[in-house]
Amino acid sequence: MVKKAVLPVAGFGSRMLPASKSIPKEMLPIVDRPAIEYVVKEAVRAGIKEIVLVTHSAKTAIEDYFDTQFELEQQLEEKGKAQLLAEVRDILPDGVSVISVRQNQALGLGHAVACAAPVVGDEPFAVLLPDVLVDCGGEAEDLGTMVANFHASGAAQIMVEAVPAHLVDRYGIVALEGNAPGRGECAPMVGIVEKPAADRAPSRLSVVGRYVLPANIMGILARTPPGAGGEIQLTDAIATLMQQQTVDAYSMRGRTFDCGNKAGYLQAVFHFATRHPELADVAKAMMVAEISENPADE
Ligand code: G1P
C-alpha cells in the first residue's frame, strides 16, 4: 500500500527571488496558507500517512510549520478563538506524520528522492514536487486515482499533461505506443526523456510532478549516473525501471499551477482566491475592479 510520500524541498527557489531569499519558496502564501500545505493536503487526501521532506538547513521553517506550536495553541484556546485553533491544528491532520531528511548536496531531483531511501524502505511511495499545485475542482483527484491504479495493476504511475511544443525542453517528456490516454486514464509508456530539444521530443506529454513508484526505484537511483544538466535525474531512473516493469503515463484531469516561477505563482494566488470559502466573492470583485481600473494593454 502507498502510505508514504516524498517531497523534495531542498531547492533554493532562485526563480522566486527576492521573495525566497530568507523564507523557503514553499512557505510563500497562496491566499492564507503556504503553498506546501496544499501539496501535503493533496497527499493526505490520496491516503498518504507519512510525509518525507527532503530538505536543507536553510529551510527549517517548513518543518516548523508542520510541528505543533504549543504556546500559540494555548493562547488561541484561552482567548476562545476556536475556529482559528481548529485551522491551526488541521495543518497536519491526525494520523499523519512529517519526517525530514537532509539533502546535503544539490545533485538533482533523482538524488533528492534517493536521500529518502532509508525512510521509504521497502514500500512503494508517491513523489510530489512542491512547486506544482494541482486543483481537480472537486472532481475525483488525480493523485488518489494514481494510487488506486497502482494498487490495482502494480504499474508505476507518472502524471502527464500536454504542453505546447516550444515548452517541451522544460520538462520530462514521455513516449507512448499509441495515442495519448483520455483524461483520467493511463497507458503504458515506451520511453521518457528529460528536457529534450523540441525537434527530438517523442511527444508533447510532459511529466507534471506527481509520481507513484515502486520501492525498487531507490536501488535504480543509487546506480543512475548524472544526466541532463549534469544532475541525477528521476526521469533516467524511470527509463531504467521501464525495462523491468510496466510504467504508466496517467493523463491528469485537474489543472496545474507552477508556483516555482513568478507568473505561475500569481496565477495560483488568483485561482485559489476564487476557490476560497470565505474570500472567493470579494476576490472576484477585486479582480474585476482592478481590471476595469487598469485594463490590459491592447
Ligand atoms: C522536474 C523533472 C521534470 C518534470 C518537472 C515538472 O524538472 O525533472 O521531469 O517535468 O520537474 O515540474 P525541474 O522543474 O525540477 O527542472
Side-chain angles (χ1 to χ4, degrees), residues 15 25 108-110 129 131-132 158-159 168-173 192-195 205-211 231-236 238 258:
R15 289 180 299 159
K25 64 176 177 187
L109 176 60
L129 304 189
D131 279 352
V132 180
I158 313 296
M159 190 156 92
V168 292
D169 61 356
R170 294 190 191 174
Y171 299 97
I173 300 292
I192 183 167
V193 52
E194 182 70 12
K195 302 190 174 75
L205 292 176
S206 72
V207 174
V208 172
R210 299 293 183 269
Y211 312 75
E231 297 188 333
I232 297 171
Q233 296 290 351
L234 181 57
T235 302
D236 294 341
I238 293 168
D258 181 1

Side-chain angles (χ1 to χ4, degrees), residues 161-270:
E161 73 175 341
V163 289
H166 70 281
L167 296 181
V168 292
D169 61 356
R170 294 190 191 174
Y171 299 97
I173 300 292
V174 306
L176 304 174
E177 209 139 73
N179 291 336
R183 291 168 73 235
E185 288 168 15
C186 58
M189 284 165 33
V190 295
I192 183 167
V193 52
E194 182 70 12
K195 302 190 174 75
D199 57 353
R200 298 185 51 202
S203 76
R204 293 197 293 110
L205 292 176
S206 72
V207 174
V208 172
R210 299 293 183 269
Y211 312 75
V212 177
L213 298 168
N216 60 336
I217 192 90
M218 290 299 193
I220 297 174
L221 278 169
R223 297 187 299 274
T224 300
E231 297 188 333
I232 297 171
Q233 296 290 351
L234 181 57
T235 302
D236 294 341
I238 293 168
T240 305
L241 180 71
M242 270 174 38
Q243 292 161 15
Q244 304 171 8
Q245 61 191 83
T246 308
V247 178
D248 283 346
Y250 167 82
S251 177
M252 69 181 303
R253 294 188 201 94
R255 279 182 68 187
T256 53
F257 299 88
D258 181 1
C259 296
N261 70 77
K262 292 175 188 179
Y265 171 78
L266 253 187
Q267 193 184 11
V269 172
F270 291 147

